[in-house]
Amino acid sequence: MTERKSVILSDAERRNLRRKLRETVEVAQDVLHPRNQMKILVGKGKAEAERVGEAVSKLARKNAPVIGAIGLGAILFAARRPISNWISKRRQGRSTTQDGE
């Protein structure tokens, strides 16, 4: 091979490598751009939120009777005073009607 062909081939290889380097730099700049970094971060956050939401709903379905019992207990605890007052009024109403007869 002549020296001229060697120089032409090496110049073509250099141009090809330079083109590849430019493309790689452009891709890296695009990936590292703050806008794209935020998109990636938001996407990861959404995926994590979906995963956690699925896990919570699966756990809730699995433990629905326990959650229902706890909820019922909380409602009864919150309403204990009105229930007690209602029962007392019912008892007093009976005792006054029986005493009057």
Side-chain angles (χ1 to χ4, degrees):
M1 186 180 320
T2 64
E3 176 117 2
R4 178 171 170 73
K5 282 188 177 182
S6 170
V7 169
I8 290 173
L9 286 175
S10 105
D11 185 51
E13 184 179 358
R14 180 182 57 79
R15 286 181 187 186
N16 189 28
L17 289 173
R18 184 176 286 163
R19 181 184 53 79
K20 286 182 181 179
L21 177 65
R22 255 189 258 121
E23 289 172 357
T24 304
V25 167
E26 287 172 4
V27 168
Q29 284 176 339
D30 187 51
V31 168
L32 295 175
H33 193 279
R35 175 191 64 233
N36 295 332
Q37 288 291 314
M38 284 302 294
K39 284 181 184 177
I40 292 170
L41 184 65
V42 167
K44 286 181 181 179
K46 284 182 182 178
E48 181 69 16
E50 288 175 6
R51 187 185 65 76
V52 168
E54 289 173 6
V56 166
S57 66
K58 183 178 178 181
L59 184 66
R61 282 191 304 270
K62 182 179 170 185
N63 296 319
V66 173
I67 294 171
I70 290 172
L72 180 62
I75 290 171
L76 289 175
F77 181 78
R80 70 187 186 282
R81 179 76 62 197
I83 292 170
S84 175
N85 290 342
W86 179 74
I87 292 173
S88 296
K89 286 178 185 177
R90 299 275 299 169
R91 286 185 180 161
Q92 288 174 359
R94 282 188 188 163
S95 65
T96 56
T97 57
Q98 288 176 356
D99 290 340
E101 290 181 9

